[in-house]
Amino acid sequence: MNAQTPTSAERAEKLEGMGCKRKRVEDVRFVQGKGNYVDDLKLPGMLYGDFTRSPHAHARVKKIDTAKAAAVPGVVAVITAETLKTVNLAWMPTLAGDVQMVLADGKVLFQNQEVAFVIAEDRYAAADAAELVEVEYEALPCNVDPLKAMADGAPVIREDTKDKKEGAHGPRKHYNHIFNWQAGDKAAADAAFAKADVTIKEMIAYPRVHPCPLETCQCVASFDKIRGELTVWGTFQAPHVIRTVGSLISKIPEHKIHVIAPDIGGGFGNKVGAYPGYICAIVASIVTGRPVKWVEDRIENLSTTAFARDFWMDTELACTKDGKILGLRCYTIADHGAFDACANATKWPAGLFSIISGSYDIPAAHCSVDGVYTNKAPGGVAYRCSFRVTEAAYAIERAMDIMAQKLGMDPAEFRMKNLIRREQFPYTSVFGWVYDSGDYQTALNKAMETIGYKKLREEQKKKQDAFKRGETRELMGIGVGFFTEIVGAGPSRNCDILGIAMFDSAEIRIHPTGTGICRLGTKSQGQGHETTYAQIIATELGLAADNIMVEEGNTDTAPYGLGTYGSRSTPVSGAATAMACRKIKAKAQMIAAYMLEVHDDDLEWDVDRFRVKGNPERFKTMTELAWAAYHEVPPGMEPGLEAVDYYDPPNFTFPFGAYIGVVDVDVDTGSTKVRRFYALDDCGTRINPMIIEGQIHGGLTEAFGIAMGQEIHYDADGNVTSASLMDYFLPTAVETPHWETDWTTTPSPHHPIGAKGVGESPNVGGVPCFSNAVNDAFKFLGSTHIQMPHDNWRVWTAADKLGLHA
Ligand code: CDP
C-alpha cells in the first residue's frame, strides 16, 4: 500500500463515528445563546394567555365573574369551562385512560388548578386580568395523604367517577380508588416467607418530586381559518402523539395539524403529556383567529404540571440465615393526584414497577399497587426514568441494605451473593422480564476495587468508635447501590399509548454529494441527538458525521414516532437509524457491484467503501456511490439513496450499574457532605463516551437533588409549600459533588449496534445509593430506615430521634 494512503483505521477515525468523543454539534448554537425555544417565537398579531388559578385545594366553584378581567385594556377574551363546553373541550382525555378538567368545572380539586384563561395583547395585561377574574368558592375538606385516601369517610375527590365500580384498569375498591395492579405469584411469595429464616418489612416512601426542567412547559397555537389548519409549536417530548391526540380531541383532521417541537430546555418526563395550557391556547387561537402563546412560570410548572413518584412502598424481603434471598413482597399505594394523568404504557398502570426484583436472582415475588386520587396536582411521569423503574430500584435497594443489616452482613457482600450471575443471561426474572445481557459481579468488583471499599469500611469503623467515645460529632456513611434499568419501550406487543403501538422510526436521505439528512420521531431535550445519531450513520454508512444533519420534532417531515422519554431514543430510534442505514448500504452495494462489474457477493465493506474481495485497489466509496445513485444505477433500479425504518424492538434493553458513595454527616446540624461518589455504568455499545459522561453527570446531579432535598410538599390544607426554587431544591454547581465515572461494556444481543439506553441510569441508580449512604451512617446506632429527602432538617430530626442531641 502507498505510504500516503490512509489506513482503514485512519479513515474510520476521520468519520467520527461510534466510540468517538465527538463534540456536540448543537452546542455551537446553545453556547452562543442562539437556540430556538418556544418563547423565542414571535408571530405577527400574536396574543398571550394566562390562567386564573385556584387558591383552594378542594372547593366548589359557585360563580365565576369575568367582567372586570374582560374590561382590562388589551384583554381580548376570557375563557371558562362554560366556553369550553360549547366546543366539547371542558374536559380532556388523559394518557392513562381517565379524563381531566381543562378548566374548573363545578369544583376545583387541587391548589393552583386552572379556573379561567385570559387572552390579551401582551403577557402583562393577561397576567393582570387573570387576577381580576372573580371566583366564588365554597371550601371543601381536602385530603393530600395517599394512605388516607381510601379511608371511610375520606373526602370524595372525583364526583364524576364516584359511583363507577370499574375504572380504566379494572374494578375499583373505593370512590378514591383508581386501579389495582398486580404482578408475580402471591402464593409462591407467601410460601417463601413462610420458610424463611429472616424477614424484613419497611414502608419505603419515595416522596412526590418534580422534574423541574429549566424551560417550563409552553406552546404557541396558530389556527389558519382559511386553510382549516392548526400549527402548534410546543415543548413536546412526543410531537406525533400530541398531533394524534390533538386530532382525536379537536376533530381537526390529523393531516391539517402541524406539531413542531423546536429546541427544548430539558424535559425529564415533564413534557410528555398534554396540559390545559395547550388546549386553551388552541381554543383561543380558533376563537380569535390569531396566534396565541402560553408560557408557564416556575410556580405553575412546579405546582400543576406532571409530578413524579409519590409511591408508598411497603416492602418485604425473606432470606435464609446465610443471606440467600428467597422472596420479595411489595404493596404500594400510588398517589396520582386529582386526575389519573400518569404517563405509562396502557396495559401497565404502575409502569414497569415489576422490575422491583432488581439485579438479584429472586425465586419468588409478588407486588401489588393501588392508585388513588388525592387533592394534589395530576401527573405521575417518569422523571428521568422509565415508567416507575426509579421507585422500584429505590425499594429493592433500600430493602437490600435493611436486610443486610438484619443479617449482620456487609451490604456489598450481601448483594454479591444474590446478584444474577453472568452465565444466567439472558435471564428471565421472577416477574417475567427477560434481561438481555449483564455482567454484574464484574461491575460491582470493579466499583469496590476502584473506590477502595475495604479501606473505607475500616475508616468507618474507626470513626464509629471515635463517635462512641465522644471524640467526634461526625458520622461516615458508605452507600452501595446496584441497579438494573429497563429501557427502550416497545416492544409494541406489550406497549402502547392510547392504542398507538410503541415503536420508533428514522428516515435517512443521502444526497448526491454524499451528505445527508436523518429525520426521526424522537426529540432531544438536551441529550445531544444531533451529534450521536450522525455518529451511528457515520459508522454504518462510512460518511463523515459532519456531513449528516439530524432533524427531529417536526411532524410534517419526520416519520411517525413515539418520542423521547424512558431512555428509549438509543434502544429504539438508534436501532431504526442503524437499520435504515443497512437498507441504504444494501442498495449501495448493488450499485457498487454494477459499477465494478462484479457480483454483489464479491464485494466486502471496508469502513467507507465497498472493495472487491482479494483486490482492495478496486473499490467505490460511499460518496462515489451516492453520486452514482442519482445518475448511474443498474438497469431496472430506482434512482436515489434513501430509506425509512420503523423499528419495533424485540425486547427492552437492560442497562445496569454499580454505584458507591461516601458521605459525612454532622449530627448537630444534619448537614451531609458527599465526600466521594463513584458511578460505574454499563450501557452496552457506547456511541459517544463524552455525551454518556455528560448524561451521567446530569442524572447524578438530579439524583443528588432528589435524595438530599427535593419534595413537592403539601400542608394539611392542601397548600403546596415547595412550589418555587426558594423551597424546591435544584442543585447548582455550588452544591453539586464531584463525580467519578467509569464503565464496563456488555452489548445488548438484540440491538443492531448492541447499544442500551443510558440517560436515566444515574437517576435510577443514584437515588438509592445516596439514601443508602445517609442511612448507612446511622445504622450502627440501631437506625433502620430514614425517609427521603435527606435534607439538613430531616437528618437532624433523625439524629434527634436516636437521642444524639440529649
Ligand atoms: O432517550 P434519551 O435520548 O433520553 O436517552 P438515551 O437513549 O439513553 O440517549 C442519551 C444520549 O446518550 C444520546 O445522545 C445517546 O446517543 C447517548 N448514548 C450513547 O452515546 N451511547 C449509548 N449506549 C446510549 C446513549
Short mmCIF file of all heavy atoms in Angstrom, two decimals, residues 574-629:
data_model
loop_
_atom_site.label_atom_id
_atom_site.label_comp_id
_atom_site.label_asym_id
_atom_site.label_seq_id
_atom_site.Cartn_x
_atom_site.Cartn_y
_atom_site.Cartn_z
N GLY A 574 -32.26 4.63 17.75
CA GLY A 574 -30.87 4.32 17.39
C GLY A 574 -30.84 3.06 16.54
O GLY A 574 -30.11 2.96 15.55
N ALA A 575 -31.69 2.09 16.93
CA ALA A 575 -31.78 0.85 16.15
C ALA A 575 -32.40 1.13 14.79
O ALA A 575 -31.93 0.61 13.76
CB ALA A 575 -32.61 -0.17 16.92
N ALA A 576 -33.45 1.96 14.75
CA ALA A 576 -34.10 2.30 13.47
C ALA A 576 -33.09 2.98 12.55
O ALA A 576 -33.06 2.72 11.34
CB ALA A 576 -35.30 3.22 13.72
N THR A 577 -32.24 3.83 13.12
CA THR A 577 -31.23 4.53 12.33
C THR A 577 -30.26 3.53 11.71
O THR A 577 -29.96 3.58 10.51
CB THR A 577 -30.47 5.53 13.22
OG1 THR A 577 -31.43 6.40 13.82
CG2 THR A 577 -29.46 6.36 12.44
N ALA A 578 -29.79 2.59 12.53
CA ALA A 578 -28.85 1.59 12.01
C ALA A 578 -29.52 0.74 10.93
O ALA A 578 -28.92 0.44 9.89
CB ALA A 578 -28.35 0.70 13.15
N MET A 579 -30.79 0.39 11.16
CA MET A 579 -31.48 -0.47 10.18
C MET A 579 -31.74 0.29 8.87
O MET A 579 -31.62 -0.30 7.78
CB MET A 579 -32.81 -0.98 10.76
CG MET A 579 -32.66 -1.88 11.98
SD MET A 579 -31.54 -3.27 11.75
CE MET A 579 -32.62 -4.43 10.98
N ALA A 580 -32.07 1.57 8.97
CA ALA A 580 -32.27 2.36 7.74
C ALA A 580 -30.95 2.45 6.98
O ALA A 580 -30.91 2.34 5.75
CB ALA A 580 -32.80 3.75 8.09
N CYS A 581 -29.85 2.62 7.72
CA CYS A 581 -28.53 2.65 7.08
C CYS A 581 -28.27 1.35 6.33
O CYS A 581 -27.72 1.34 5.22
CB CYS A 581 -27.43 2.81 8.12
SG CYS A 581 -27.31 4.47 8.79
N ARG A 582 -28.66 0.25 6.95
CA ARG A 582 -28.36 -1.05 6.33
C ARG A 582 -29.16 -1.24 5.04
O ARG A 582 -28.68 -1.88 4.10
CB ARG A 582 -28.60 -2.17 7.34
CG ARG A 582 -27.50 -2.12 8.40
CD ARG A 582 -27.65 -3.06 9.55
NE ARG A 582 -26.73 -2.65 10.61
CZ ARG A 582 -26.58 -3.28 11.75
NH1 ARG A 582 -27.26 -4.37 12.01
NH2 ARG A 582 -25.72 -2.84 12.66
N LYS A 583 -30.36 -0.67 4.98
CA LYS A 583 -31.12 -0.73 3.73
C LYS A 583 -30.40 0.08 2.64
O LYS A 583 -30.28 -0.34 1.50
CB LYS A 583 -32.53 -0.16 3.94
CG LYS A 583 -33.41 -1.02 4.81
CD LYS A 583 -34.79 -0.38 5.02
CE LYS A 583 -35.61 -1.15 6.04
NZ LYS A 583 -36.85 -0.47 6.41
N ILE A 584 -29.90 1.25 3.06
CA ILE A 584 -29.18 2.11 2.10
C ILE A 584 -27.91 1.42 1.63
O ILE A 584 -27.57 1.41 0.44
CB ILE A 584 -28.88 3.47 2.77
CG1 ILE A 584 -30.17 4.27 2.89
CG2 ILE A 584 -27.81 4.26 2.01
CD1 ILE A 584 -30.07 5.55 3.67
N LYS A 585 -27.24 0.81 2.59
CA LYS A 585 -25.97 0.15 2.26
C LYS A 585 -26.19 -1.02 1.30
O LYS A 585 -25.38 -1.26 0.38
CB LYS A 585 -25.36 -0.36 3.57
CG LYS A 585 -23.89 -0.53 3.55
CD LYS A 585 -23.42 -0.63 5.00
CE LYS A 585 -22.21 -1.45 5.16
NZ LYS A 585 -21.87 -1.65 6.57
N ALA A 586 -27.29 -1.72 1.49
CA ALA A 586 -27.57 -2.87 0.60
C ALA A 586 -27.76 -2.37 -0.83
O ALA A 586 -27.28 -2.99 -1.80
CB ALA A 586 -28.82 -3.61 1.09
N LYS A 587 -28.43 -1.23 -0.97
CA LYS A 587 -28.63 -0.68 -2.32
C LYS A 587 -27.29 -0.19 -2.88
O LYS A 587 -26.97 -0.43 -4.05
CB LYS A 587 -29.65 0.47 -2.27
CG LYS A 587 -29.93 1.07 -3.64
CD LYS A 587 -31.11 2.03 -3.62
CE LYS A 587 -31.39 2.55 -5.02
NZ LYS A 587 -32.48 3.53 -5.04
N ALA A 588 -26.51 0.46 -2.01
CA ALA A 588 -25.21 0.97 -2.45
C ALA A 588 -24.32 -0.18 -2.92
O ALA A 588 -23.56 -0.05 -3.89
CB ALA A 588 -24.55 1.73 -1.31
N GLN A 589 -24.45 -1.31 -2.25
CA GLN A 589 -23.63 -2.47 -2.64
C GLN A 589 -23.99 -2.94 -4.05
O GLN A 589 -23.11 -3.28 -4.84
CB GLN A 589 -23.84 -3.60 -1.63
CG GLN A 589 -22.96 -4.81 -1.91
CD GLN A 589 -22.95 -5.81 -0.76
OE1 GLN A 589 -23.62 -5.61 0.25
NE2 GLN A 589 -22.18 -6.87 -0.89
N MET A 590 -25.29 -2.90 -4.36
CA MET A 590 -25.70 -3.33 -5.72
C MET A 590 -25.17 -2.35 -6.76
O MET A 590 -24.74 -2.74 -7.84
CB MET A 590 -27.23 -3.42 -5.78
CG MET A 590 -27.79 -4.60 -5.03
SD MET A 590 -29.51 -4.88 -5.44
CE MET A 590 -30.31 -3.98 -4.16
N ILE A 591 -25.19 -1.07 -6.41
CA ILE A 591 -24.68 -0.06 -7.35
C ILE A 591 -23.17 -0.27 -7.54
O ILE A 591 -22.65 -0.22 -8.67
CB ILE A 591 -25.00 1.37 -6.86
CG1 ILE A 591 -26.52 1.57 -6.74
CG2 ILE A 591 -24.41 2.42 -7.81
CD1 ILE A 591 -26.95 2.87 -6.08
N ALA A 592 -22.49 -0.53 -6.43
CA ALA A 592 -21.03 -0.73 -6.50
C ALA A 592 -20.71 -1.95 -7.37
O ALA A 592 -19.79 -1.91 -8.21
CB ALA A 592 -20.47 -0.91 -5.09
N ALA A 593 -21.47 -3.02 -7.18
CA ALA A 593 -21.24 -4.25 -7.96
C ALA A 593 -21.41 -3.96 -9.45
O ALA A 593 -20.61 -4.41 -10.28
CB ALA A 593 -22.20 -5.34 -7.51
N TYR A 594 -22.44 -3.18 -9.76
CA TYR A 594 -22.71 -2.83 -11.16
C TYR A 594 -21.56 -2.01 -11.72
O TYR A 594 -21.05 -2.28 -12.82
CB TYR A 594 -24.03 -2.06 -11.19
CG TYR A 594 -24.38 -1.45 -12.53
CD1 TYR A 594 -24.73 -2.25 -13.61
CD2 TYR A 594 -24.37 -0.06 -12.69
CE1 TYR A 594 -25.07 -1.68 -14.84
CE2 TYR A 594 -24.71 0.51 -13.91
CZ TYR A 594 -25.06 -0.30 -14.98
OH TYR A 594 -25.39 0.27 -16.18
N MET A 595 -21.10 -1.03 -10.95
CA MET A 595 -20.03 -0.15 -11.43
C MET A 595 -18.71 -0.90 -11.57
O MET A 595 -17.92 -0.66 -12.49
CB MET A 595 -19.86 1.04 -10.49
CG MET A 595 -21.05 2.00 -10.49
SD MET A 595 -20.91 3.24 -9.21
CE MET A 595 -19.78 4.38 -10.00
N LEU A 596 -18.46 -1.83 -10.65
CA LEU A 596 -17.18 -2.56 -10.66
C LEU A 596 -17.27 -3.85 -11.49
O LEU A 596 -16.30 -4.60 -11.60
CB LEU A 596 -16.76 -2.90 -9.22
CG LEU A 596 -16.38 -1.68 -8.36
CD1 LEU A 596 -16.37 -2.04 -6.88
CD2 LEU A 596 -15.03 -1.12 -8.77
N GLU A 597 -18.45 -4.07 -12.00
CA GLU A 597 -18.70 -5.23 -12.85
C GLU A 597 -18.32 -6.55 -12.16
O GLU A 597 -17.59 -7.39 -12.69
CB GLU A 597 -17.95 -5.08 -14.20
CG GLU A 597 -18.49 -3.89 -14.99
CD GLU A 597 -17.79 -3.70 -16.33
OE1 GLU A 597 -16.65 -4.17 -16.47
OE2 GLU A 597 -18.39 -3.10 -17.21
N VAL A 598 -18.79 -6.67 -10.94
CA VAL A 598 -18.61 -7.92 -10.19
C VAL A 598 -19.96 -8.28 -9.57
O VAL A 598 -20.90 -7.47 -9.56
CB VAL A 598 -17.55 -7.79 -9.06
CG1 VAL A 598 -16.17 -7.56 -9.63
CG2 VAL A 598 -17.94 -6.70 -8.06
N HIS A 599 -20.03 -9.48 -9.02
CA HIS A 599 -21.25 -9.88 -8.32
C HIS A 599 -21.26 -9.22 -6.94
O HIS A 599 -20.20 -8.99 -6.35
CB HIS A 599 -21.27 -11.42 -8.18
CG HIS A 599 -22.59 -11.93 -7.73
ND1 HIS A 599 -22.93 -12.03 -6.40
CD2 HIS A 599 -23.67 -12.35 -8.44
CE1 HIS A 599 -24.16 -12.50 -6.30
NE2 HIS A 599 -24.63 -12.70 -7.54
N ASP A 600 -22.47 -8.92 -6.43
CA ASP A 600 -22.60 -8.31 -5.08
C ASP A 600 -21.75 -9.05 -4.05
O ASP A 600 -21.11 -8.45 -3.19
CB ASP A 600 -24.04 -8.42 -4.56
CG ASP A 600 -25.03 -7.64 -5.39
OD1 ASP A 600 -24.62 -7.08 -6.43
OD2 ASP A 600 -26.20 -7.62 -4.99
N ASP A 601 -21.79 -10.38 -4.14
CA ASP A 601 -21.11 -11.20 -3.13
C ASP A 601 -19.59 -11.11 -3.22
O ASP A 601 -18.88 -11.56 -2.31
CB ASP A 601 -21.51 -12.68 -3.27
CG ASP A 601 -22.97 -12.89 -2.95
OD1 ASP A 601 -23.55 -11.98 -2.32
OD2 ASP A 601 -23.51 -13.94 -3.32
N ASP A 602 -19.10 -10.56 -4.33
CA ASP A 602 -17.64 -10.43 -4.46
C ASP A 602 -17.12 -9.16 -3.80
O ASP A 602 -15.93 -8.85 -3.87
CB ASP A 602 -17.24 -10.43 -5.94
CG ASP A 602 -17.53 -11.78 -6.59
OD1 ASP A 602 -17.48 -12.79 -5.85
OD2 ASP A 602 -17.84 -11.81 -7.79
N LEU A 603 -18.04 -8.42 -3.17
CA LEU A 603 -17.63 -7.17 -2.53
C LEU A 603 -17.57 -7.35 -1.02
O LEU A 603 -18.32 -8.12 -0.44
CB LEU A 603 -18.62 -6.06 -2.86
CG LEU A 603 -18.71 -5.62 -4.32
CD1 LEU A 603 -19.82 -4.61 -4.50
CD2 LEU A 603 -17.37 -5.02 -4.78
N GLU A 604 -16.66 -6.59 -0.42
CA GLU A 604 -16.65 -6.55 1.06
C GLU A 604 -16.61 -5.10 1.50
O GLU A 604 -16.14 -4.22 0.79
CB GLU A 604 -15.46 -7.34 1.62
CG GLU A 604 -14.11 -6.80 1.21
CD GLU A 604 -12.96 -7.69 1.68
OE1 GLU A 604 -13.23 -8.76 2.25
OE2 GLU A 604 -11.80 -7.30 1.45
N TRP A 605 -17.13 -4.85 2.71
CA TRP A 605 -17.21 -3.49 3.25
C TRP A 605 -15.91 -3.16 3.97
O TRP A 605 -15.37 -3.97 4.70
CB TRP A 605 -18.39 -3.41 4.22
CG TRP A 605 -18.55 -2.08 4.89
CD1 TRP A 605 -18.33 -1.79 6.21
CD2 TRP A 605 -18.98 -0.85 4.29
NE1 TRP A 605 -18.59 -0.47 6.46
CE2 TRP A 605 -18.99 0.13 5.29
CE3 TRP A 605 -19.35 -0.48 2.99
CZ2 TRP A 605 -19.36 1.46 5.05
CZ3 TRP A 605 -19.71 0.84 2.75
CH2 TRP A 605 -19.72 1.79 3.76
N ASP A 606 -15.40 -1.96 3.73
CA ASP A 606 -14.20 -1.52 4.44
C ASP A 606 -14.38 -0.04 4.84
O ASP A 606 -14.10 0.87 4.06
CB ASP A 606 -12.98 -1.68 3.52
CG ASP A 606 -11.71 -1.10 4.14
OD1 ASP A 606 -11.58 -1.19 5.38
OD2 ASP A 606 -10.90 -0.51 3.41
N VAL A 607 -14.88 0.18 6.01
CA VAL A 607 -15.04 1.49 6.66
C VAL A 607 -15.96 2.45 5.89
O VAL A 607 -16.98 2.89 6.40
CB VAL A 607 -13.68 2.16 6.92
CG1 VAL A 607 -13.88 3.54 7.59
CG2 VAL A 607 -12.82 1.29 7.81
N ASP A 608 -15.56 2.83 4.67
CA ASP A 608 -16.32 3.85 3.94
C ASP A 608 -16.49 3.45 2.48
O ASP A 608 -16.77 4.31 1.63
CB ASP A 608 -15.62 5.21 4.03
CG ASP A 608 -14.18 5.15 3.52
OD1 ASP A 608 -13.71 4.03 3.21
OD2 ASP A 608 -13.55 6.21 3.43
N ARG A 609 -16.29 2.17 2.18
CA ARG A 609 -16.30 1.77 0.77
C ARG A 609 -16.61 0.28 0.60
O ARG A 609 -16.41 -0.52 1.54
CB ARG A 609 -14.93 2.04 0.15
CG ARG A 609 -13.81 1.25 0.83
CD ARG A 609 -12.44 1.79 0.49
NE ARG A 609 -12.29 3.18 0.89
CZ ARG A 609 -11.25 3.95 0.57
NH1 ARG A 609 -10.29 3.47 -0.17
NH2 ARG A 609 -11.17 5.19 0.98
N PHE A 610 -17.06 -0.06 -0.58
CA PHE A 610 -17.11 -1.47 -0.96
C PHE A 610 -15.90 -1.75 -1.84
O PHE A 610 -15.64 -1.02 -2.81
CB PHE A 610 -18.40 -1.78 -1.73
CG PHE A 610 -19.60 -1.89 -0.83
CD1 PHE A 610 -20.53 -0.86 -0.76
CD2 PHE A 610 -19.77 -3.02 -0.04
CE1 PHE A 610 -21.63 -0.97 0.08
CE2 PHE A 610 -20.87 -3.13 0.81
CZ PHE A 610 -21.80 -2.11 0.87
N ARG A 611 -15.16 -2.80 -1.51
CA ARG A 611 -14.00 -3.14 -2.33
C ARG A 611 -14.14 -4.59 -2.80
O ARG A 611 -14.85 -5.41 -2.19
CB ARG A 611 -12.70 -2.95 -1.55
CG ARG A 611 -12.57 -3.86 -0.37
CD ARG A 611 -11.31 -3.56 0.45
NE ARG A 611 -11.22 -4.50 1.54
CZ ARG A 611 -10.47 -4.34 2.61
NH1 ARG A 611 -9.74 -3.24 2.76
NH2 ARG A 611 -10.43 -5.25 3.55
N VAL A 612 -13.43 -4.88 -3.88
CA VAL A 612 -13.51 -6.23 -4.44
C VAL A 612 -12.66 -7.15 -3.55
O VAL A 612 -11.51 -6.84 -3.23
CB VAL A 612 -13.01 -6.25 -5.90
CG1 VAL A 612 -13.02 -7.67 -6.47
CG2 VAL A 612 -13.87 -5.32 -6.76
N LYS A 613 -13.29 -8.26 -3.15
CA LYS A 613 -12.57 -9.20 -2.28
C LYS A 613 -11.29 -9.64 -2.97
O LYS A 613 -11.31 -10.00 -4.16
CB LYS A 613 -13.44 -10.44 -2.01
CG LYS A 613 -14.53 -10.21 -0.99
CD LYS A 613 -15.34 -11.50 -0.80
CE LYS A 613 -16.60 -11.21 -0.02
NZ LYS A 613 -17.59 -12.29 -0.11
N GLY A 614 -10.19 -9.59 -2.26
CA GLY A 614 -8.90 -10.03 -2.80
C GLY A 614 -8.27 -9.01 -3.73
O GLY A 614 -7.18 -9.23 -4.25
N ASN A 615 -8.93 -7.91 -3.98
CA ASN A 615 -8.39 -6.88 -4.88
C ASN A 615 -8.77 -5.49 -4.32
O ASN A 615 -9.57 -4.76 -4.90
CB ASN A 615 -8.96 -7.08 -6.30
CG ASN A 615 -8.26 -6.18 -7.31
OD1 ASN A 615 -7.36 -5.41 -6.95
ND2 ASN A 615 -8.68 -6.26 -8.56
N PRO A 616 -8.21 -5.14 -3.17
CA PRO A 616 -8.67 -3.93 -2.44
C PRO A 616 -8.45 -2.62 -3.19
O PRO A 616 -9.01 -1.59 -2.82
CB PRO A 616 -7.86 -3.98 -1.15
CG PRO A 616 -6.71 -4.88 -1.41
CD PRO A 616 -7.14 -5.84 -2.46
N GLU A 617 -7.64 -2.66 -4.25
CA GLU A 617 -7.42 -1.42 -5.01
C GLU A 617 -8.66 -1.07 -5.84
O GLU A 617 -8.83 0.06 -6.28
CB GLU A 617 -6.22 -1.57 -5.97
CG GLU A 617 -4.90 -1.88 -5.30
CD GLU A 617 -4.52 -0.83 -4.25
OE1 GLU A 617 -4.58 0.37 -4.57
OE2 GLU A 617 -4.21 -1.22 -3.10
N ARG A 618 -9.52 -2.06 -6.05
CA ARG A 618 -10.75 -1.79 -6.81
C ARG A 618 -11.89 -1.58 -5.82
O ARG A 618 -12.30 -2.52 -5.12
CB ARG A 618 -11.07 -2.97 -7.75
CG ARG A 618 -10.06 -3.15 -8.86
CD ARG A 618 -10.62 -4.04 -9.95
NE ARG A 618 -11.74 -3.39 -10.63
CZ ARG A 618 -12.84 -4.02 -11.03
NH1 ARG A 618 -12.97 -5.32 -10.82
NH2 ARG A 618 -13.82 -3.38 -11.64
N PHE A 619 -12.35 -0.35 -5.70
CA PHE A 619 -13.39 -0.04 -4.72
C PHE A 619 -14.23 1.14 -5.18
O PHE A 619 -13.86 1.86 -6.12
CB PHE A 619 -12.76 0.28 -3.36
CG PHE A 619 -11.84 1.48 -3.38
CD1 PHE A 619 -12.36 2.77 -3.26
CD2 PHE A 619 -10.46 1.34 -3.52
CE1 PHE A 619 -11.53 3.88 -3.28
CE2 PHE A 619 -9.63 2.45 -3.53
CZ PHE A 619 -10.16 3.73 -3.41
N LYS A 620 -15.36 1.32 -4.52
CA LYS A 620 -16.18 2.52 -4.70
C LYS A 620 -16.51 3.04 -3.31
O LYS A 620 -17.04 2.29 -2.46
CB LYS A 620 -17.49 2.21 -5.45
CG LYS A 620 -17.29 1.87 -6.91
CD LYS A 620 -16.92 3.10 -7.74
CE LYS A 620 -16.47 2.71 -9.14
NZ LYS A 620 -15.80 3.81 -9.84
N THR A 621 -16.20 4.30 -3.06
CA THR A 621 -16.52 4.86 -1.73
C THR A 621 -18.01 5.18 -1.66
O THR A 621 -18.67 5.31 -2.70
CB THR A 621 -15.74 6.16 -1.47
OG1 THR A 621 -16.19 7.14 -2.41
CG2 THR A 621 -14.24 5.96 -1.59
N MET A 622 -18.51 5.34 -0.43
CA MET A 622 -19.93 5.69 -0.28
C MET A 622 -20.23 7.03 -0.93
O MET A 622 -21.32 7.23 -1.46
CB MET A 622 -20.32 5.73 1.20
CG MET A 622 -20.85 4.43 1.76
SD MET A 622 -22.20 3.67 0.86
CE MET A 622 -23.59 4.60 1.43
N THR A 623 -19.28 7.93 -0.90
CA THR A 623 -19.52 9.24 -1.53
C THR A 623 -19.69 9.05 -3.04
O THR A 623 -20.59 9.62 -3.66
CB THR A 623 -18.35 10.19 -1.21
OG1 THR A 623 -18.16 10.18 0.20
CG2 THR A 623 -18.64 11.62 -1.65
N GLU A 624 -18.84 8.20 -3.62
CA GLU A 624 -18.98 7.92 -5.06
C GLU A 624 -20.32 7.22 -5.35
O GLU A 624 -20.99 7.51 -6.34
CB GLU A 624 -17.84 7.02 -5.54
CG GLU A 624 -16.49 7.72 -5.56
CD GLU A 624 -15.33 6.75 -5.81
OE1 GLU A 624 -15.31 5.65 -5.21
OE2 GLU A 624 -14.45 7.10 -6.60
N LEU A 625 -20.68 6.33 -4.45
CA LEU A 625 -21.92 5.57 -4.68
C LEU A 625 -23.14 6.47 -4.53
O LEU A 625 -24.16 6.27 -5.21
CB LEU A 625 -21.98 4.39 -3.71
CG LEU A 625 -20.91 3.31 -3.99
CD1 LEU A 625 -20.82 2.32 -2.83
CD2 LEU A 625 -21.20 2.58 -5.30
N ALA A 626 -23.04 7.47 -3.65
CA ALA A 626 -24.15 8.42 -3.50
C ALA A 626 -24.37 9.16 -4.82
O ALA A 626 -25.50 9.33 -5.30
CB ALA A 626 -23.85 9.40 -2.37
N TRP A 627 -23.27 9.60 -5.40
CA TRP A 627 -23.37 10.30 -6.69
C TRP A 627 -23.97 9.37 -7.76
O TRP A 627 -24.90 9.74 -8.48
CB TRP A 627 -21.96 10.78 -7.11
CG TRP A 627 -21.99 11.62 -8.35
CD1 TRP A 627 -21.65 11.22 -9.61
CD2 TRP A 627 -22.41 12.98 -8.44
NE1 TRP A 627 -21.83 12.25 -10.49
CE2 TRP A 627 -22.30 13.36 -9.81
CE3 TRP A 627 -22.88 13.93 -7.53
CZ2 TRP A 627 -22.62 14.63 -10.27
CZ3 TRP A 627 -23.20 15.20 -7.99
CH2 TRP A 627 -23.07 15.54 -9.34
N ALA A 628 -23.46 8.16 -7.77
CA ALA A 628 -23.93 7.19 -8.77
C ALA A 628 -25.42 6.88 -8.59
O ALA A 628 -26.14 6.66 -9.57
CB ALA A 628 -23.12 5.90 -8.66
N ALA A 629 -25.88 6.90 -7.34
CA ALA A 629 -27.28 6.57 -7.07
C ALA A 629 -28.23 7.52 -7.78
O ALA A 629 -29.41 7.20 -7.99
CB ALA A 629 -27.55 6.60 -5.56
#
